Coordinates of all heavy atoms in Angstrom, one line a residue:
M67 N 122.8 116.7 144.9 CA 123.2 116.0 143.7 C 121.9 115.3 143.2 O 121.2 114.6 143.9 CB 124.3 115.0 144.0 CG 124.8 114.3 142.8 SD 126.3 113.4 143.2 CE 125.6 111.8 143.6
K68 N 121.7 115.4 141.9 CA 120.5 114.7 141.3 C 120.9 113.3 140.8 O 121.9 113.1 140.1 CB 120.0 115.6 140.1 CG 118.7 115.1 139.6 CD 118.3 116.1 138.5 CE 116.9 115.7 138.0 NZ 116.5 116.6 136.9
V69 N 120.1 112.3 141.2 CA 120.3 111.0 140.9 C 119.7 110.8 139.5 O 118.6 111.2 139.2 CB 119.7 110.0 141.9 CG1 119.8 108.6 141.4 CG2 120.3 110.2 143.2
K70 N 120.5 110.1 138.6 CA 120.1 109.9 137.2 C 119.6 108.5 137.1 O 120.3 107.6 136.6 CB 121.2 110.2 136.3 CG 121.6 111.6 136.3 CD 122.7 111.9 135.2 CE 123.0 113.4 135.3 NZ 124.0 113.7 134.3
A71 N 118.3 108.2 137.6 CA 117.7 106.9 137.4 C 117.4 106.6 136.0 O 117.1 107.5 135.2 CB 116.5 106.8 138.3
K72 N 117.4 105.4 135.6 CA 117.2 105.0 134.2 C 115.8 104.4 134.1 O 115.3 103.7 135.0 CB 118.2 103.9 133.8 CG 119.7 104.3 134.0 CD 120.2 105.2 133.0 CE 121.6 105.5 133.2 NZ 122.2 106.4 132.2
K73 N 115.2 104.6 132.9 CA 113.9 104.0 132.6 C 114.1 102.9 131.6 O 115.0 103.0 130.8 CB 113.0 105.0 132.0 CG 112.2 105.8 133.0 CD 111.1 106.6 132.3 CE 110.2 107.2 133.3 NZ 109.1 107.9 132.7
G74 N 113.4 101.8 131.8 CA 113.5 100.6 131.0 C 112.2 100.0 130.7 O 111.2 100.2 131.5
C75 N 112.1 99.2 129.7 CA 110.9 98.5 129.3 C 110.7 97.3 130.3 O 111.7 96.6 130.6 CB 110.9 98.0 127.9 SG 109.4 97.2 127.3
T76 N 109.5 97.1 130.7 CA 109.2 96.0 131.6 C 108.6 94.8 131.0 O 108.3 93.8 131.6 CB 108.3 96.4 132.8 OG1 107.1 97.0 132.2 CG2 109.0 97.5 133.6
N77 N 108.4 94.9 129.6 CA 107.9 93.8 128.9 C 109.0 92.7 128.6 O 109.9 93.0 127.9 CB 107.3 94.3 127.5 CG 106.8 93.2 126.6 OD1 106.7 92.0 127.0 ND2 106.4 93.6 125.4
P78 N 108.9 91.5 129.2 CA 109.9 90.5 129.0 C 110.1 90.0 127.6 O 111.2 89.5 127.3 CB 109.5 89.4 129.9 CG 108.1 89.6 130.3 CD 107.8 91.0 130.0
E79 N 109.2 90.3 126.7 CA 109.3 89.8 125.3 C 110.1 90.9 124.5 O 110.5 90.6 123.4 CB 107.9 89.7 124.7 CG 106.9 89.0 125.6 CD 107.1 87.5 125.6 OE1 107.1 86.9 124.5 OE2 107.3 86.9 126.7
C80 N 110.2 92.1 125.0 CA 110.8 93.2 124.2 C 112.3 93.1 124.2 O 113.0 92.6 125.1 CB 110.4 94.5 124.9 SG 111.1 96.0 124.1
V81 N 112.8 93.4 123.0 CA 114.3 93.4 122.8 C 115.0 94.3 123.7 O 116.1 94.0 124.3 CB 114.6 93.8 121.3 CG1 116.1 93.8 121.1 CG2 114.0 92.8 120.4
M82 N 114.4 95.5 124.0 CA 115.0 96.5 124.9 C 115.1 96.0 126.3 O 116.1 96.3 127.0 CB 114.1 97.7 124.9 CG 114.7 98.9 125.4 SD 113.7 100.4 125.1 CE 114.8 101.6 125.7
C83 N 114.2 95.1 126.8 CA 114.2 94.5 128.1 C 115.3 93.4 128.1 O 116.0 93.3 129.1 CB 112.8 94.0 128.5 SG 112.8 93.3 130.1
K84 N 115.3 92.6 127.1 CA 116.3 91.5 127.1 C 117.7 92.0 127.0 O 118.6 91.4 127.6 CB 116.0 90.6 125.8 CG 114.7 89.8 126.0 CD 114.5 88.9 124.8 CE 113.1 88.2 124.9 NZ 112.8 87.4 123.7
K85 N 118.0 93.1 126.3 CA 119.3 93.6 126.2 C 119.7 94.6 127.3 O 120.7 95.2 127.3 CB 119.5 94.3 124.8 CG 119.5 93.3 123.7 CD 119.9 93.9 122.4 CE 120.0 92.9 121.3 NZ 120.4 93.6 120.0
K86 N 118.7 94.8 128.2 CA 118.9 95.7 129.3 C 119.2 97.1 128.9 O 120.1 97.8 129.4 CB 119.9 95.2 130.3 CG 119.4 93.9 130.9 CD 120.4 93.4 131.9 CE 119.9 92.1 132.5 NZ 120.8 91.5 133.4
E87 N 118.6 97.6 127.8 CA 118.8 98.9 127.3 C 117.9 99.9 128.1 O 116.9 99.5 128.7 CB 118.4 99.0 125.8 CG 119.3 98.2 124.9 CD 118.9 98.2 123.5 OE1 117.9 98.9 123.1 OE2 119.5 97.5 122.7
H88 N 118.3 101.2 128.1 CA 117.6 102.2 128.8 C 117.0 103.2 127.8 O 117.5 103.5 126.8 CB 118.5 102.9 129.8 CG 119.0 101.9 130.9 ND1 120.3 101.5 130.9 CD2 118.4 101.3 131.9 CE1 120.5 100.7 131.9 NE2 119.3 100.5 132.5
A89 N 115.9 103.8 128.2 CA 115.2 104.8 127.4 C 115.4 106.2 128.1 O 116.0 106.2 129.2 CB 113.7 104.5 127.4
R90 N 115.0 107.2 127.4 CA 115.1 108.5 128.0 C 114.1 108.7 129.1 O 113.1 108.1 129.2 CB 114.8 109.6 126.9 CG 115.8 109.6 125.8 CD 115.6 110.8 124.9 NE 114.2 110.9 124.5 CZ 113.7 110.9 123.3 NH1 114.6 110.7 122.3 NH2 112.4 111.0 123.0
K91 N 114.5 109.5 130.1 CA 113.7 109.7 131.3 C 112.3 110.3 131.0 O 111.3 110.1 131.7 CB 114.4 110.6 132.3 CG 113.9 110.6 133.7 CD 114.8 111.3 134.6 CE 114.3 111.2 136.0 NZ 115.2 111.9 137.0
E92 N 112.2 111.1 129.9 CA 111.0 111.8 129.5 C 110.0 110.8 128.9 O 108.8 111.1 128.9 CB 111.3 112.9 128.5 CG 112.3 114.0 129.0 CD 113.7 113.5 128.7 OE1 114.0 113.0 127.6 OE2 114.6 113.8 129.5
D93 N 110.5 109.7 128.3 CA 109.6 108.8 127.6 C 108.7 108.1 128.6 O 109.1 107.7 129.7 CB 110.4 107.8 126.9 CG 111.1 108.4 125.7 OD1 110.8 109.5 125.3 OD2 112.0 107.7 125.2
A94 N 107.4 107.8 128.2 CA 106.5 107.1 129.0 C 106.2 105.7 128.5 O 105.9 104.8 129.2 CB 105.1 107.8 129.1
F95 N 106.5 105.5 127.1 CA 106.3 104.2 126.5 C 107.6 103.8 125.8 O 108.4 104.6 125.3 CB 105.1 104.3 125.5 CG 103.8 104.7 126.2 CD1 103.3 105.9 126.2 CD2 103.1 103.7 126.9 CE1 102.2 106.3 126.8 CE2 102.0 104.0 127.5 CZ 101.5 105.3 127.5
C96 N 107.8 102.5 125.7 CA 108.9 101.9 125.0 C 109.0 102.3 123.5 O 107.9 102.1 122.8 CB 108.9 100.4 125.2 SG 110.3 99.5 124.4
P97 N 110.1 102.7 123.0 CA 110.2 103.1 121.6 C 110.1 101.8 120.7 O 109.9 101.9 119.5 CB 111.5 103.8 121.5 CG 112.2 103.5 122.7 CD 111.3 103.1 123.7
R98 N 110.4 100.7 121.2 CA 110.4 99.4 120.4 C 109.1 98.7 120.4 O 108.6 98.3 119.4 CB 111.5 98.5 121.0 CG 112.9 99.2 121.0 CD 113.9 98.4 120.2 NE 115.1 99.1 120.2 CZ 116.3 98.6 120.1 NH1 116.3 97.3 120.0 NH2 117.4 99.3 120.1
C99 N 108.5 98.5 121.6 CA 107.3 97.6 121.7 C 106.0 98.4 122.0 O 104.9 97.9 121.9 CB 107.5 96.5 122.6 SG 107.5 96.9 124.4
G100 N 106.2 99.6 122.5 CA 105.1 100.5 122.9 C 104.6 100.2 124.4 O 103.6 100.7 124.8
G101 N 105.3 99.3 125.1 CA 104.9 99.0 126.5 C 105.3 100.1 127.4 O 106.0 101.0 127.0
S102 N 104.8 100.0 128.6 CA 105.1 101.1 129.6 C 106.5 101.0 130.1 O 107.1 99.9 130.2 CB 104.1 101.0 130.8 OG 104.3 99.8 131.5
L103 N 107.1 102.1 130.4 CA 108.4 102.2 130.9 C 108.4 102.4 132.4 O 107.5 103.1 132.9 CB 109.2 103.4 130.3 CG 109.5 103.2 128.8 CD1 110.2 104.5 128.3 CD2 110.4 102.0 128.5
S104 N 109.3 101.9 133.2 CA 109.4 102.1 134.6 C 110.9 102.4 134.9 O 111.8 102.1 134.1 CB 109.0 100.8 135.3 OG 107.6 100.6 135.1
F105 N 111.1 102.9 136.1 CA 112.5 103.1 136.5 C 113.1 101.7 136.9 O 112.4 100.9 137.6 CB 112.6 104.0 137.8 CG 112.3 105.4 137.5 CD1 111.1 106.1 137.9 CD2 113.2 106.2 136.8 CE1 110.9 107.4 137.6 CE2 113.0 107.5 136.5 CZ 111.8 108.1 136.9
V106 N 114.3 101.4 136.4 CA 114.9 100.1 136.6 C 116.3 100.3 137.1 O 116.9 101.3 136.9 CB 114.9 99.3 135.2 CG1 113.5 98.9 134.8 CG2 115.6 100.0 134.1
C107 N 116.8 99.2 137.7 CA 118.2 99.2 138.2 C 119.1 99.3 137.0 O 118.9 98.7 135.9 CB 118.4 97.9 138.9 SG 120.1 97.7 139.5
E108 N 120.2 100.1 137.2 CA 121.1 100.4 136.1 C 121.9 99.1 135.7 O 122.3 98.9 134.5 CB 122.1 101.4 136.6 CG 123.1 102.0 135.6 CD 123.9 103.1 136.1 OE1 124.9 102.8 136.9 OE2 123.6 104.3 135.9
K109 N 122.1 98.2 136.6 CA 122.9 97.0 136.4 C 122.0 95.8 136.0 O 122.3 95.1 135.0 CB 123.8 96.7 137.6 CG 124.8 97.7 137.8 CD 125.8 97.3 138.8 CE 126.8 98.4 139.1 NZ 128.1 98.0 138.9
C110 N 121.0 95.4 136.8 CA 120.3 94.2 136.7 C 118.9 94.3 136.0 O 118.2 93.4 135.8 CB 120.2 93.4 138.0 SG 119.1 94.2 139.2
H111 N 118.5 95.6 135.8 CA 117.2 95.9 135.2 C 116.0 95.5 136.0 O 114.9 95.3 135.5 CB 117.1 95.2 133.8 CG 116.4 96.0 132.8 ND1 116.9 97.2 132.3 CD2 115.2 95.8 132.2 CE1 116.1 97.6 131.4 NE2 115.0 96.9 131.3
T112 N 116.1 95.4 137.3 CA 115.0 95.1 138.2 C 114.2 96.4 138.4 O 114.8 97.5 138.5 CB 115.5 94.7 139.6 OG1 116.4 93.6 139.5 CG2 114.4 94.4 140.6
V113 N 112.9 96.3 138.4 CA 112.0 97.5 138.5 C 112.2 98.1 139.9 O 112.1 97.4 140.9 CB 110.5 97.1 138.3 CG1 109.6 98.2 138.5 CG2 110.4 96.5 136.9
L114 N 112.3 99.4 139.9 CA 112.5 100.2 141.2 C 111.2 100.8 141.6 O 110.3 101.1 140.7 CB 113.6 101.2 141.0 CG 115.0 100.7 140.7 CD1 115.9 101.9 140.4 CD2 115.5 99.9 141.8
A115 N 111.0 101.1 142.8 CA 109.8 101.8 143.3 C 109.6 103.2 142.8 O 108.6 103.6 142.4 CB 109.7 101.8 144.8
D116 N 110.8 103.9 142.8 CA 110.7 105.3 142.3 C 112.1 105.6 141.7 O 113.0 104.8 141.6 CB 110.4 106.3 143.4 CG 111.4 106.2 144.5 OD1 112.3 105.4 144.5 OD2 111.2 107.0 145.5
G117 N 112.3 106.8 141.2 CA 113.5 107.2 140.5 C 114.5 107.9 141.4 O 115.4 108.6 140.9
S118 N 114.4 107.6 142.7 CA 115.3 108.3 143.6 C 116.7 107.6 143.7 O 117.7 108.3 144.1 CB 114.7 108.3 145.0 OG 114.5 107.0 145.5
T119 N 116.8 106.4 143.3 CA 118.1 105.7 143.3 C 118.3 105.1 141.9 O 117.3 104.8 141.2 CB 118.1 104.6 144.3 OG1 117.1 103.6 144.0 CG2 118.0 105.1 145.7
K120 N 119.5 104.8 141.5 CA 119.7 104.2 140.2 C 120.1 102.7 140.3 O 120.2 102.0 139.3 CB 120.8 104.9 139.4 CG 122.2 105.0 140.0 CD 123.0 105.9 139.1 CE 124.5 105.9 139.7 NZ 125.3 106.7 138.8
L121 N 120.3 102.2 141.6 CA 120.6 100.8 141.8 C 119.6 100.2 142.7 O 119.1 100.8 143.6 CB 122.0 100.6 142.4 CG 123.2 101.0 141.5 CD1 124.5 100.9 142.3 CD2 123.3 100.3 140.3
C122 N 119.3 98.9 142.5 CA 118.4 98.2 143.4 C 119.1 97.9 144.7 O 120.3 98.1 144.8 CB 117.8 96.9 142.8 SG 119.1 95.6 142.5
V123 N 118.4 97.3 145.7 CA 119.0 97.1 147.0 C 120.1 96.0 146.9 O 121.2 96.2 147.5 CB 117.9 96.5 148.0 CG1 118.5 96.2 149.3 CG2 116.8 97.6 148.1
V124 N 119.9 95.0 146.0 CA 120.9 93.9 145.9 C 122.2 94.5 145.2 O 123.3 94.3 145.7 CB 120.3 92.8 145.1 CG1 121.4 91.7 144.8 CG2 119.2 92.2 145.8
C125 N 122.0 95.2 144.1 CA 123.2 95.8 143.5 C 123.9 96.8 144.3 O 125.2 96.9 144.3 CB 122.8 96.4 142.1 SG 122.3 95.1 140.9
Q126 N 123.2 97.6 145.1 CA 123.8 98.6 146.0 C 124.6 97.9 147.1 O 125.7 98.3 147.4 CB 122.7 99.5 146.6 CG 123.3 100.6 147.4 CD 124.1 101.6 146.6 OE1 123.7 102.0 145.5 NE2 125.3 102.0 147.1
A127 N 124.1 96.8 147.6 CA 124.8 96.0 148.6 C 126.1 95.4 148.1 O 127.1 95.5 148.7 CB 123.9 94.9 149.2
K128 N 126.0 94.9 146.8 CA 127.2 94.4 146.2 C 128.3 95.5 146.0 O 129.5 95.3 146.2 CB 126.9 93.8 144.9 CG 126.2 92.4 144.9 CD 125.9 91.9 143.6 CE 125.0 90.7 143.6 NZ 124.7 90.2 142.2
K129 N 127.8 96.7 145.6 CA 128.7 97.8 145.3 C 129.4 98.2 146.7 O 130.6 98.5 146.7 CB 127.9 98.9 144.7 CG 128.8 100.1 144.4 CD 128.0 101.2 143.8 CE 128.8 102.5 143.5 NZ 128.0 103.6 143.0
D130 N 128.6 98.3 147.7 CA 129.1 98.7 149.0 C 130.1 97.7 149.6 O 131.1 98.1 150.1 CB 128.0 98.9 150.0 CG 127.1 100.1 149.7 OD1 127.5 101.0 148.9 OD2 125.9 100.1 150.2
D131 N 129.8 96.4 149.4 CA 130.7 95.3 149.8 C 132.0 95.4 149.1 O 133.1 95.3 149.7 CB 130.0 94.0 149.6 CG 130.8 92.8 150.2 OD1 131.3 93.0 151.3 OD2 130.9 91.8 149.5
T132 N 132.0 95.6 147.8 CA 133.2 95.8 147.0 C 134.0 97.0 147.4 O 135.2 96.9 147.6 CB 132.8 95.9 145.5 OG1 132.1 94.8 145.1 CG2 134.1 96.0 144.6
N133 N 133.3 98.1 147.7 CA 134.1 99.3 148.2 C 134.7 99.0 149.5 O 135.9 99.5 149.8 CB 133.1 100.5 148.3 CG 132.7 101.0 146.9 OD1 133.4 100.7 145.9 ND2 131.6 101.8 146.9
E134 N 134.1 98.3 150.4 CA 134.7 98.0 151.7 C 135.9 97.1 151.6 O 136.9 97.3 152.2 CB 133.6 97.3 152.6 CG 132.6 98.2 153.2 CD 133.2 99.3 154.1 OE1 134.1 99.0 154.9 OE2 132.8 100.5 153.9
K135 N 135.8 96.1 150.7 CA 137.0 95.2 150.4 C 138.2 96.0 149.9 O 139.3 95.8 150.3 CB 136.6 94.1 149.4 CG 135.7 93.1 150.0 CD 135.4 92.0 149.0 CE 134.5 90.9 149.6 NZ 134.1 89.9 148.6
I136 N 137.9 97.0 149.0 CA 139.0 97.8 148.4 C 139.6 98.7 149.5 O 140.8 98.8 149.6 CB 138.4 98.7 147.3 CG1 138.1 97.8 146.1 CG2 139.4 99.8 146.9 CD1 137.3 98.6 145.0
K137 N 138.8 99.3 150.4 CA 139.3 100.1 151.5 C 140.1 99.2 152.5 O 141.2 99.7 152.9 CB 138.1 100.7 152.3 CG 137.5 101.9 151.5 CD 136.3 102.4 152.3 CE 135.5 103.5 151.6 NZ 134.4 104.0 152.3
D138 N 139.7 98.0 152.8 CA 140.4 97.1 153.7 C 141.8 96.8 153.0 O 142.8 96.7 153.7 CB 139.6 95.9 154.0 CG 138.4 96.1 154.9 OD1 138.4 97.2 155.5 OD2 137.6 95.2 154.9
G139 N 141.8 96.5 151.7 CA 143.0 96.2 151.0 C 144.0 97.4 151.1 O 145.2 97.2 151.3
F140 N 143.5 98.6 150.9 CA 144.4 99.8 151.0 C 144.9 99.9 152.5 O 146.1 100.3 152.6 CB 143.7 101.0 150.6 CG 143.7 101.2 149.1 CD1 142.5 101.4 148.4 CD2 144.8 101.2 148.4 CE1 142.4 101.6 147.1 CE2 144.8 101.4 147.0 CZ 143.6 101.6 146.3
K141 N 144.1 99.7 153.4 CA 144.6 99.8 154.8 C 145.7 98.8 155.1 O 146.7 99.1 155.7 CB 143.4 99.5 155.8 CG 142.4 100.7 155.9 CD 141.3 100.4 156.8 CE 140.2 101.5 156.8 NZ 139.1 101.1 157.6
K142 N 145.5 97.5 154.6 CA 146.6 96.5 154.8 C 147.8 96.9 154.1 O 148.9 96.7 154.6 CB 146.1 95.2 154.3 CG 145.0 94.6 155.2 CD 144.5 93.2 154.7 CE 143.3 92.7 155.5 NZ 142.7 91.5 155.0
A143 N 147.7 97.4 152.9 CA 148.9 97.8 152.1 C 149.6 99.0 152.7 O 150.8 99.0 152.8 CB 148.5 98.1 150.7
G144 N 148.8 99.9 153.3 CA 149.4 101.0 154.0 C 150.2 100.6 155.2 O 151.3 101.1 155.5
G145 N 149.8 99.6 155.9 CA 150.5 99.0 157.1 C 151.8 98.4 156.7 O 152.8 98.6 157.3
V146 N 151.8 97.7 155.5 CA 153.0 97.1 155.0 C 154.0 98.1 154.6 O 155.2 98.1 154.9 CB 152.7 96.1 153.9 CG1 154.0 95.7 153.2 CG2 151.9 94.9 154.3
V147 N 153.5 99.1 153.9 CA 154.4 100.2 153.5 C 155.0 101.0 154.6 O 156.2 101.3 154.7 CB 153.6 101.2 152.5 CG1 154.4 102.5 152.3 CG2 153.3 100.5 151.2
A148 N 154.2 101.2 155.7 CA 154.7 101.9 156.9 C 155.8 101.1 157.6 O 156.8 101.6 158.1 CB 153.5 102.2 157.8
G149 N 155.6 99.7 157.6 CA 156.6 98.9 158.2 C 157.9 98.9 157.5 O 159.0 98.9 158.1
I150 N 157.8 98.9 156.2 CA 159.0 98.9 155.3 C 159.7 100.3 155.5 O 160.9 100.3 155.6 CB 158.7 98.7 153.9 CG1 158.2 97.2 153.7 CG2 159.8 99.0 152.9 CD1 157.6 96.9 152.3
A151 N 158.9 101.3 155.5 CA 159.5 102.7 155.7 C 160.2 102.8 157.0 O 161.2 103.5 157.1 CB 158.4 103.7 155.5
A152 N 159.7 102.1 158.0 CA 160.3 102.2 159.4 C 161.6 101.4 159.4 O 162.6 101.8 160.1 CB 159.4 101.7 160.4
T153 N 161.8 100.4 158.6 CA 163.0 99.6 158.7 C 164.1 100.1 157.7 O 165.3 99.8 157.9 CB 162.7 98.1 158.3 OG1 162.1 98.1 157.0 CG2 161.8 97.5 159.3
V154 N 163.7 100.8 156.7 CA 164.7 101.3 155.7 C 165.8 102.2 156.4 O 167.0 102.0 156.1 CB 164.0 102.0 154.5 CG1 165.0 102.8 153.7 CG2 163.3 101.0 153.7
P155 N 165.4 103.2 157.2 CA 166.5 104.0 157.8 C 167.5 103.2 158.7 O 168.7 103.5 158.7 CB 165.7 105.0 158.7 CG 164.4 105.1 158.1 CD 164.1 103.7 157.6
G156 N 167.0 102.2 159.3 CA 167.9 101.3 160.1 C 168.8 100.6 159.3 O 170.0 100.4 159.6
I157 N 168.4 100.1 158.1 CA 169.3 99.4 157.2 C 170.3 100.3 156.6 O 171.5 100.0 156.5 CB 168.4 98.7 156.1 CG1 167.5 97.6 156.7 CG2 169.3 98.1 155.0 CD1 166.5 97.0 155.7
V158 N 169.9 101.5 156.2 CA 170.8 102.5 155.7 C 171.8 102.9 156.7 O 173.0 103.0 156.4 CB 170.0 103.7 155.2 CG1 171.0 104.8 154.8 CG2 169.1 103.3 154.0
A159 N 171.4 103.0 157.9 CA 172.4 103.4 159.0 C 173.4 102.3 159.2 O 174.6 102.6 159.4 CB 171.6 103.7 160.3
A160 N 173.0 101.0 159.2 CA 173.9 99.9 159.4 C 174.9 99.8 158.2 O 176.1 99.5 158.4 CB 173.1 98.6 159.5
V161 N 174.4 100.1 157.0 CA 175.3 100.0 155.8 C 176.4 101.1 155.9 O 177.5 100.9 155.6 CB 174.5 100.1 154.5 CG1 175.4 100.3 153.3 CG2 173.7 98.8 154.4
V162 N 175.9 102.3 156.3 CA 176.8 103.5 156.4 C 177.8 103.2 157.5 O 179.0 103.5 157.4 CB 176.0 104.7 156.6 CG1 176.9 105.9 157.0 CG2 175.2 105.1 155.4
K163 N 177.4 102.6 158.6 CA 178.3 102.3 159.7 C 179.4 101.3 159.3 O 180.5 101.5 159.8 CB 177.5 101.8 160.9 CG 178.2 101.8 162.2 CD 177.2 101.4 163.3 CE 177.7 101.7 164.6 NZ 176.8 101.3 165.7
K164 N 179.1 100.4 158.5 CA 180.1 99.4 158.1 C 181.1 100.0 157.1 O 182.2 99.5 157.1 CB 179.4 98.2 157.4 CG 178.7 97.3 158.3 CD 178.1 96.0 157.7 CE 177.5 95.1 158.7 NZ 177.0 93.9 158.1
K165 N 180.7 101.0 156.4 CA 181.7 101.6 155.4 C 182.6 102.5 156.2 O 183.6 102.8 156.2 CB 180.9 102.3 154.3 CG 180.3 101.4 153.4 CD 179.7 102.2 152.2 CE 179.1 101.3 151.2 NZ 178.7 101.9 150.1

């Protein structure tokens, strides 16, 4: 799978840098200010060492942490659903027995 790293302007005065806009991968210079382009983080616009990843270390850690929290939430919800599913047949049997 090919990673689609983004290029961005590194000139802090440039509008493209301030708005965290991205340029085409083929471009070498900023279309707005003429400054050099570098591979930048997709989210926070931090300069990356190379184009092998699209997120910086900090943003990747945040993303991984969020994914772990979501997985833990699903595991907890699955346990609750399994507990309810185990008690429903007992309740149904008791209701049928009373009738």
Side-chain angles (χ1 to χ4, degrees):
M67 183 169 95
K68 190 174 181 182
V69 176
K70 296 183 179 181
K72 307 282 184 179
K73 274 192 171 181
C75 185
T76 56
N77 178 5
E79 317 282 304
C80 180
V81 175
M82 195 169 185
C83 183
K84 288 180 183 176
K85 291 187 176 183
K86 297 181 181 176
E87 295 177 3
H88 297 108
R90 292 189 313 242
K91 195 172 182 178
E92 304 86 38
D93 292 343
F95 299 100
C96 177
R98 304 240 178 147
C99 73
S102 65
L103 295 176
S104 296
F105 288 108
V106 294
C107 176
E108 190 175 78
K109 294 187 182 237
C110 69
H111 215 70
T112 302
V113 177
L114 301 173
D116 59 359
S118 63
T119 61
K120 62 182 182 178
L121 296 175
C122 66
V123 176
V124 175
C125 291
Q126 185 65 46
K128 287 179 185 176
K129 182 179 176 182
D130 293 342
D131 188 41
T132 302
N133 287 344
E134 285 300 316
K135 287 181 182 177
I136 291 170
K137 287 179 185 177
D138 290 344
F140 278 125
K141 287 178 185 177
K142 289 177 184 175
V146 170
V147 170
I150 292 171
T153 58
V154 169
I157 294 171
V158 171
V161 170
V162 170
K163 196 174 194 181
K164 284 187 179 182
K165 287 187 178 187

